[in-house]
Amino acid sequence: MFHISNFIKQQWLGSLLIVLFVLFLLYGIEQNNELKKEKEKLEKEIEQLERKENLHWDKFEELKLGRNTIIEKQKTLIQLQYDTIKIIDTIAFSRLQEFFSNRYNQ
């Protein structure tokens, strides 16, 4: 024990540098562990966001398909409306013809 204390007295600057080096090493290790934890947290958050993104893309695709279906139904309804108007216009001597004829003339 005496030799160790004697060595520290003689080599105080080297001992101080060794202690500082060990402290900085421990500080770096602690920072590294904190960064690893933060990295894991961010990776989990990224996975959750990717799942949400996929869910939103699926909903978007469903809406696109629904939009196309609505457009087709709207076209069908417009065609039925035109066909109904043509049929009503071709009825001879009926009250509907008189009604629509009076309406179109105005």
Side-chain angles (χ1 to χ4, degrees):
M1 185 76 172
F2 174 74
H3 295 293
I4 294 175
S5 63
N6 193 20
F7 174 77
I8 292 175
K9 286 180 186 178
Q10 290 176 357
Q11 302 292 331
W12 64 271
L13 182 62
S15 300
L16 179 67
L17 290 176
I18 290 172
V19 169
L20 288 175
F21 175 74
V22 169
L23 289 176
F24 281 120
L25 181 67
L26 293 175
Y27 176 76
I29 290 172
E30 182 63 30
Q31 287 292 97
N32 191 20
N33 289 337
E34 289 177 13
L35 290 173
K36 283 181 182 180
K37 289 177 185 176
E38 187 176 345
K39 176 188 166 198
E40 290 173 3
K41 178 184 168 188
L42 290 173
E43 285 176 347
K44 288 179 183 178
E45 189 175 334
I46 287 171
E47 288 176 11
Q48 290 175 349
L49 291 173
E50 285 176 346
R51 277 189 246 124
K52 285 182 181 179
E53 179 186 21
N54 290 336
L55 183 65
H56 290 291
W57 274 113
D58 292 341
K59 287 181 182 178
F60 178 71
E61 292 297 324
E62 288 175 12
L63 288 174
K64 278 177 58 177
L65 292 174
R67 179 177 174 258
N68 291 340
T69 304
I70 290 171
I71 290 172
E72 290 299 319
K73 287 182 179 181
Q74 184 180 17
K75 287 179 182 178
T76 304
L77 288 173
I78 290 171
Q79 186 62 41
L80 285 172
Q81 183 182 11
Y82 287 140
D83 292 344
T84 305
I85 289 172
K86 285 180 184 178
I87 291 171
I88 290 173
D89 285 341
T90 58
I91 297 174
F93 305 107
S94 70
R95 291 183 189 169
L96 289 175
Q97 183 183 11
E98 291 173 10
F99 173 76
F100 284 112
S101 296
N102 291 337
R103 186 172 180 185
Y104 290 147
N105 287 335
Q106 295 176 358

